[in-house]
């Protein structure tokens, strides 16, 4: 419940996750963790998210990508447990 409340208060996070997942599905990187590190480390990330969210129409697809995001976290959670 706390996570859902937090996500509702921060729509920019939903956009960021949605755009990131669109990019992953579009570019299909071999190493998703390395790709994520580079993607989220971009100095102009805020501007990129703003432009890409319009391009991908993320508002329409946010719920789908939140489900995929949760699945990815569950799938790769063992990597962070070490």
């Amino acid at each position: 419940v706390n996570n859902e409340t937090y996500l509702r208060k921060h729509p920019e996070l939903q956009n960021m996750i949605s755009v990131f997942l669109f990019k992953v599905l579009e570019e299909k990187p071999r190493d998703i963790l390395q790709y994520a590190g580079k993607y989220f480390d971009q100095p102009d990330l805020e501007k990129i998210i703003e432009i890409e969210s319009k391009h991908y129409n993320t508002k329409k697809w946010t719920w789908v990508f939140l489900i995929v995001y949760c699945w990815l976290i569950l799938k790769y959670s063992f990597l962070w447990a070490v």
Side-chain angles (χ1 to χ4, degrees), residues 29-55:
R30 293 188 110 161
D31 186 337
I32 293 177
L33 293 176
Q34 182 181 14
Y35 180 86
K38 288 181 180 179
Y39 184 82
F40 288 112
D41 198 32
Q42 297 179 87
D44 54 348
L45 182 61
E46 186 175 353
K47 187 67 175 169
I48 291 169
I49 297 298
E50 181 183 325
I51 292 168
E52 296 289 343
S53 65
K54 291 175 186 169
H55 171 72

